[in-house]
Amino acid sequence: MTQLIVRKVGVIGAGTMGQGIAEMLAFHGLDVYIYEHLEDRQSHALAMIEQSLDKQIEKWAITRSEKKLVTSRLHIAESLSSMHDCELVIETITEDLDSKKAVFEELDRICGPDVILASNTSTLSLTELASVTAYPERVIGMHFVYPVMKTDLVEIVRGLKTSDDTFSRTKHFVEVIIQKKGVMVFESPGFVTTRLICLFINEALHVLEEGVASAEDIDSAMRIGYSFQNGPFEMADRFGLDSILAALERMFREYGELKYRPSIVLKKMVRAGQLGAKSGVGFFHYDKDGNRI
């Protein structure tokens, strides 16, 4: 096994997860190159990361000099070709198979054969993503859990052709370089965390629909009674209701089991644009910084 020596990491996609991953990588001393095809989202991502660091300064978690160090390691990539000298690239764009395949096909041409190409997908097939590359053995899943800075878990997902060497080098990166617990998962829609948490949230929605209890009381019951950090509805708001819906719909298609069929309440809220913390309203209300009101 060759250890993965990493100094530069590429992050494709500057949404909520991309921002969290980039901040965490820079915090661990890595140079991070962020690519987002929408230019306005690039500057927005850097602003959101800076805001996150400022909040940590307010809580005495980091110093101003540490913030300066982290921000100095964040770089905007003008194009995917900027990833050519990264040792690892993590894709974290929207959960659309065709869009992800297009990214992997291009990265495969740009990056040398030893560069690990990872996806943060929560439901899509790594084998299918790897199918468009000339080196499918170097494609792997690195599914981070939100919030990335605070959650010390990464699901390391093996596709059909992922090599043992790629898995070993990725596990070393996760556990030694970024100091998180890596759990190995064989490819399966939803893997472990998304599959279980989406079912939990969906069942809470059915309980709400039936009028058994309010969203606030259901959350309190699970938070206080079972030591959950957040109840199912605040979790859903943090993850994004559109993301929960997309994951449930894909698992419903893949498994064909009724338990994965999304609640009608969830569908209605997404159609109304009530997506949770990122839109300001979901099951609860949030300010512009994502704090619950």
Side-chain angles (χ1 to χ4, degrees), residues 154-172:
V154 180
E155 289 181 299
I156 306 172
V157 188
R158 299 188 68 150
L160 189 63
K161 294 188 177 179
T162 305
S163 68
D164 289 341
D165 184 58
T166 296
F167 171 75
S168 298
R169 290 194 295 149
T170 304
K171 189 173 174 66
H172 176 266

Side-chain angles (χ1 to χ4, degrees), residues 148-217:
V148 179
M149 282 292 287
K150 294 180 182 176
T151 309
D152 293 327
L153 177 77
V154 180
E155 289 181 299
I156 306 172
V157 188
R158 299 188 68 150
L160 189 63
K161 294 188 177 179
T162 305
S163 68
D164 289 341
D165 184 58
T166 296
F167 171 75
S168 298
R169 290 194 295 149
T170 304
K171 189 173 174 66
H172 176 266
F173 172 78
V174 167
E175 299 197 333
V176 177
I177 298 176
I178 61 172
Q179 298 169 12
K180 293 185 182 288
K181 172 63 179 172
V183 295
M184 191 187 82
V185 180
F186 287 107
E187 184 178 300
S188 173
F191 313 135
V192 174
T193 55
T194 301
R195 184 173 173 179
L196 295 182
I197 211 66
C198 284
L199 277 175
F200 172 59
I201 290 168
N202 207 36
E203 190 58 30
L205 278 157
H206 292 317
V207 172
L208 181 68
E209 279 179 59
E210 292 163 17
V212 176
S214 68
E216 183 74 64
D217 285 346

Side-chain angles (χ1 to χ4, degrees), residues 93-110:
I93 67 171
T94 185
E95 289 285 276
D96 177 74
L97 184 62
D98 290 336
S99 300
K100 286 182 186 284
K101 283 168 79 172
V103 167
F104 272 83
E105 193 170 7
E106 192 170 347
L107 285 173
D108 190 59
R109 289 195 299 267
I110 292 163

